[in-house]
């Protein structure tokens, strides 16, 4: 989670600082400016890094928060595909892996907490 969040933070900073780095496609359904997309990725990345740190500390709420933020990150990167296709698809895969890993871990924690 921390890795995926850090990559989203870097993506957001790059989009905010240098809008000429990315290709702006015409006739795209979602007409955000590149700086707007940068802020979306930056905020989601920071939230994902914080959730990753909380998961490492053992907080159960962080798993649910991480699933929600990683799901939003996957959606944001899917919508980012026209601007930077390869990077966006890699981060979609990373975010889906995060959701899978967090959901798998919740199942094992629930089994450990049962009273026999």
């Amino acid at each position: 989670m921390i890795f995926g969040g850090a990559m989203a933070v870097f993506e957001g900073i790059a989009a905010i600082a240098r809008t000429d780095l990315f290709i702006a496609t015409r006739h795209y359904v979602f007409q955000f400016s590149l700086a707007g997309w940068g802020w979306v990725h930056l905020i989601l990345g920071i939230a994902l890094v914080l959730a990753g740190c909380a998961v490492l500390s053992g907080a159960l709420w962080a798993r649910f928060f991480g699933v929600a933020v990683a799901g939003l990150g996957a959606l944001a990167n899917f919508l980012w595909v026209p601007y930077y296709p390869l990077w966006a698809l890699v981060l979609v895969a990373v975010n889906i892996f995060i959701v899978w890993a967090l959901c798998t871990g919740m199942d094992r924690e629930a089994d450990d907490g049962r009273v026999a």
Side-chain angles (χ1 to χ4, degrees):
M1 286 178 67
I2 295 171
F3 171 76
M7 293 298 105
V9 166
F10 293 143
E11 180 179 35
I13 290 171
I16 293 168
R18 295 202 40 188
T19 56
D20 60 340
L21 180 67
F22 300 102
I23 298 171
T25 58
R26 290 189 277 159
H27 308 298
Y28 186 52
V29 176
F30 300 99
Q31 295 295 327
F32 269 158
S33 68
L34 286 174
W37 275 116
W39 282 108
V40 168
H41 289 291
L42 183 65
I43 291 168
L44 287 174
I46 290 170
L48 199 56
V49 167
L50 293 175
C53 292
V55 165
L56 288 177
S57 71
L60 183 61
W61 63 267
R63 289 186 177 271
F64 294 106
F65 183 67
V67 168
V69 172
L72 289 174
L75 179 65
N77 280 300
F78 179 73
L79 296 175
W80 180 253
V81 167
Y83 297 103
Y84 208 148
L86 182 63
W87 187 255
L89 292 176
V90 167
L91 285 180
V92 166
V94 167
N95 283 317
I96 290 173
F97 177 72
I98 290 169
V99 169
W100 172 80
L102 288 175
C103 291
T104 301
M106 280 191 255
D107 182 38
R108 278 187 264 136
E109 281 185 6
D111 289 341
D112 291 341
R114 287 190 298 184
V115 177

